Amino acid sequence: MTDINADPAAGSAAGLSWRALETRVGLDSLPAFHRAFLTWRGVEGAEDMPLRRVQQRVEAELNRLVQAGQATRSGEDWHLTPDALNGFPQAQPFLT
């Protein structure tokens, strides 16, 4: 049996894996990507938050996407619907 989530860059049947997206973004660019995600989601002061707080807020926003029906949570990952990141330009290069 093949695990469709074995490749961290792969999506799943449930949608785009947030963790796979983060892998595509890359470690060096991840803090800026997370801050841009928070700003896009309407979180004020994302540019000045300590990194640990940024991570907490990203997870909170992902959980809000779950509540809105735009994602599901699976362990330490979130699987986003295909349109969940529409309008978030910083994500677009990593979605194809």
Side-chain angles (χ1 to χ4, degrees):
M1 175 183 261
T2 303
D3 179 0
I4 61 174
N5 293 317
D7 176 1
S12 77
L16 171 69
S17 162
W18 179 259
R19 296 298 184 216
L21 178 61
E22 289 178 321
T23 298
R24 291 180 194 144
V25 169
L27 189 58
D28 290 341
S29 300
L30 204 52
F33 182 81
H34 282 166
R35 290 176 194 282
F37 174 73
L38 292 177
T39 299
W40 175 69
R41 293 286 297 168
V43 175
E44 293 184 22
E47 289 300 319
D48 299 322
M49 281 182 198
L51 284 178
R52 180 69 182 135
R53 183 73 177 130
V54 167
Q55 182 60 33
Q56 292 169 342
R57 289 303 305 262
V58 165
E59 290 188 12
E61 290 304 315
L62 291 168
N63 288 329
R64 284 184 180 87
L65 288 174
V66 169
Q67 292 172 344
Q70 293 184 292
T72 58
R73 182 146 187 193
S74 176
E76 294 295 316
D77 197 2
W78 291 262
H79 297 276
L80 286 64
T81 61
D83 64 337
L85 297 177
N86 283 354
F88 179 36
Q90 291 86 341
Q92 300 313 306
F94 306 105
L95 299 179
T96 57

